[in-house]
Amino acid sequence: MTRNVLFDTDPGCDDAVMLAMALGHDAVDVVGLSTVCGNSTVTNTTRNALAILDHGGFDVPVARGCERPLVDDLTTAEWIHGEGGLRGDLPDPTSEPVDQHGADFIVEQAREHGDDLTIAAVGPLTNLAIALAKEPALPEMVDDIYLMGGAAFQSGNVTPAAEANFHNDPAAASRVIQDAEAKMVGLDVTNGASPAPETIDSYGERGGGFGVVADWIGYPEAAQGVGQDRLAVHDAAVAADLVDPGVLSFEEYFCEVDTTGGPSHGAVVCDQYGVRDAEPNASVAVDMDLERFRSVFRAGVEGYAAAVDGADG
């Protein structure tokens, strides 16, 4: 059964790999992308999203979203993802974004597809927070809402406490955690979303469409972080579970996001032991089946690479 998915994204190398996986796998129908600032400016992330699609010949609407966080200053990560936010040398896109804001596009797609739609927000949550403000019934309208962000039981990756996407816009993350009834896929599992080293090596050797993905996945800084000694393609964990539900295991918890501006700004506070006696408000990913993840990863990238090579041919 094919799953209709709207990705809210900030490409970004790991976002690009995730999109390649999803676009290249028959189990997912990517119905649209909304772009947000994060790994780079929204101008760059929108350009990158269009280029990823165009290079494989995929006709998917892209809506440009928010250019800054709700409250905080924008912090980008070109030092990791490369100049313009994406490593490699993709041709400039020929397509254009739709004439609609990303937050409005999310709401429109939810109304159009209803419970046949899954929303996967894998960047800062600014667009999704605004979409929830515009349409509070959004969680009831769609099938699932996935988030790549946060860390319930792990240290952070941009501060000792906070993960990058949540730290980039803590106010938006707080609103989404409160209201979205979401599946939170955080560093607790994504730190382990590591393709086999021999798979990564083979992509550069094979060239063509695989070489495009190799440019995105071959950035050494992606393997750096607290306690990490191997490449983690964080967003890819979401795509894998969309294709093969059960790659990730979830448990229900009550969570909050720290927006106080102190040393834990943007951190997830997860009530692991129920001391607040509050009803759970998030499904937190707590484990990942690595072999199933790697199988989905390989299949999706192979599909995308074939599309790129076909478009170039």
Side-chain angles (χ1 to χ4, degrees):
M1 180 178 176
T2 302
R3 190 168 193 169
N4 295 323
V5 181
L6 183 153
F7 287 100
D8 186 59
T9 180
D10 63 332
C13 290
D14 55 338
D15 301 73
V17 174
M18 177 211 65
L19 290 173
M21 288 173 61
L23 292 163
H25 209 292
D26 291 341
V28 170
D29 183 7
V30 181
V31 301
L33 307 180
S34 52
T35 59
V36 66
C37 61
N39 289 322
S40 190
T41 65
V42 74
T43 296
N44 288 338
T45 62
T46 304
R47 180 264 176 197
N48 295 342
L50 292 166
I52 292 163
L53 295 168
D54 283 5
H55 203 48
F58 295 96
D59 183 16
V60 176
V62 176
R64 173 175 166 148
C66 292
E67 64 183 25
R68 57 156 295 172
L70 294 178
V71 177
D72 292 50
D73 293 331
L74 173 62
T75 301
T76 59
E78 286 88 352
W79 67 276
I80 292 178
H81 297 275
E83 185 178 358
L86 191 62
R87 295 186 183 238
D89 190 25
L90 282 184
D92 287 332
T94 57
S95 57
E96 296 287 339
V98 299
D99 187 19
Q100 189 175 28
H101 191 277
D104 294 322
F105 183 70
I106 292 171
V107 174
E108 178 192 77
Q109 292 298 304
R111 290 171 176 164
E112 177 178 340
H113 293 282
D115 61 7
D116 289 329
L117 181 69
T118 293
I119 297 169
V122 297
L125 297 176
T126 320
N127 288 337
L128 185 53
I130 293 174
L132 283 163
K134 286 174 170 284
E135 180 49 88
L138 189 68
E140 290 75 42
M141 295 166 63
V142 301
D143 181 24
D144 268 323
I145 297 176
Y146 279 76
L147 316 176
M148 191 280 116
F153 312 114
Q154 296 276 328
S155 299
N157 62 355
V158 293
T159 74
E163 178 275 334
N165 285 338
F166 279 26
H167 185 265
N168 202 303
D169 195 341
S174 178
R175 176 63 181 264
V176 171
I177 287 294
Q178 290 177 51
D179 291 351
E181 303 171 20
K183 291 183 173 179
M184 191 187 87
V185 182
L187 300 181
D188 312 281
V189 294
T190 68
N191 278 341
S194 175
E198 59 270 20
T199 299
I200 299 171
D201 293 342
S202 73
Y203 290 167
E205 296 169 0
R206 296 170 73 173
F210 288 100
V212 172
V213 177
D215 287 337
W216 301 334
I217 206 172
Y219 57 120
E221 294 87 346
Q224 297 176 1
V226 178
Q228 287 184 239
D229 58 0
R230 57 183 179 177
L231 176 72
V233 189
H234 298 278
D235 294 339
V238 170
D241 201 67
L242 291 171
V243 169
D244 181 10
V247 167
L248 301 177
S249 301
F250 293 86
E251 293 180 0
E252 304 292 317
Y253 291 103
F254 177 77
C255 296
E256 297 176 279
V257 178
D258 188 344
T259 61
T260 58
S264 296
H265 192 53
V268 173
V269 181
C270 180
D271 188 5
Q272 183 176 5
Y273 301 110
V275 297
R276 288 284 301 276
D277 196 26
E279 289 294 320
N281 60 359
S283 297
V284 177
V286 296
D287 196 16
M288 180 179 66
D289 186 322
L290 181 58
E291 291 310 309
R292 286 170 71 175
F293 166 80
R294 288 178 169 177
S295 177
V296 174
F297 178 89
R298 291 191 300 269
V301 170
E302 286 171 6
Y304 181 78
V308 169
D309 292 341
D312 287 345

